[in-house]
Amino acid sequence: MAHTPETRANVRRMYVEGMALTAAAACCNVSYDTAREWKRLGKERGDDWDTARAAYRISEQGIDELNKNMIEDFARLVLTTTRELDNSPIPAHEKAGVLSQLADAHAKFAKAFSRINPQFSGLSVALDTLKTVVDLLQKRDPQALRALQPHIEEIGAVLGKRYG
């Protein structure tokens, strides 16, 4: 089914303004695969939708709000991954490995972000400590790590309130 240029522009606008690509596609009666292809083709032609989205966020919300949104977006990704992992049929030792990698990615994000936002450095230290605990439990007591897994979200929220 051929779509009008206006439809493509509407999908792009909604995405740039912050809507998920799946939602923007659904709102415009376009398949997700089509929207993803438009996004890919745009990037090839020099119209990077993600760059436009970041610029929109900065111009509309200011850098402090953008920083907050980046942290929230990353935290949401971590939480979603943790929930999916909890429901995954993979063996426990593999889950522990994925949790360790996730904690490592989170610590790296926190460290990098703290360099550009000094207020974030306390949270960076706290998250690095959490990563250290996860790594230690993975090596010495995987059963304790499995027991800790359901509480990671709550711990992250407490750390975010305390240091964020």
Side-chain angles (χ1 to χ4, degrees), residues 38-164:
W38 289 346
K39 185 177 179 244
R40 185 189 66 76
L41 289 172
K43 187 172 185 173
E44 285 180 4
R45 296 179 184 140
D47 178 22
D48 187 333
W49 292 15
D50 291 320
T51 300
R53 185 178 179 137
Y56 179 83
R57 287 174 106 174
I58 291 170
S59 68
E60 287 294 307
Q61 301 169 350
I63 194 70
D64 289 338
E65 188 67 21
L66 176 64
N67 288 340
K68 179 183 171 207
N69 286 337
M70 285 176 59
I71 293 167
E72 288 174 359
D73 289 347
F74 190 81
R76 192 174 304 111
L77 177 64
V78 169
L79 294 176
T80 299
T81 304
T82 302
R83 283 187 195 116
E84 288 179 10
L85 186 61
D86 192 35
N87 297 321
S88 172
I90 65 174
H93 72 280
E94 288 182 29
K95 285 183 181 183
V98 172
L99 277 174
S100 177
Q101 291 173 344
L102 187 61
D104 184 53
H106 203 264
K108 287 177 181 175
F109 173 84
K111 184 175 182 181
F113 195 80
S114 68
R115 289 183 187 137
I116 60 171
N117 186 345
Q119 290 178 321
F120 195 69
S121 62
L123 184 55
S124 177
V125 171
L127 293 174
D128 188 52
T129 302
L130 183 59
K131 179 197 177 303
T132 301
V133 169
V134 168
D135 288 345
L136 182 71
L137 290 177
Q138 181 183 12
K139 291 176 186 169
R140 297 196 180 159
D141 193 349
Q143 187 174 355
L145 180 60
R146 285 190 298 277
L148 177 65
Q149 181 185 352
H151 306 287
I152 296 231
E153 182 177 331
E154 183 180 357
I155 293 167
V158 169
L159 293 174
K161 285 179 184 174
R162 183 173 295 163
Y163 298 104

Side-chain angles (χ1 to χ4, degrees), residues 7-22:
T7 301
R8 182 185 299 218
N10 283 335
V11 170
R12 181 190 183 280
R13 178 187 51 77
M14 289 178 190
Y15 178 78
V16 167
E17 290 177 356
M19 189 177 282
L21 189 59
T22 52

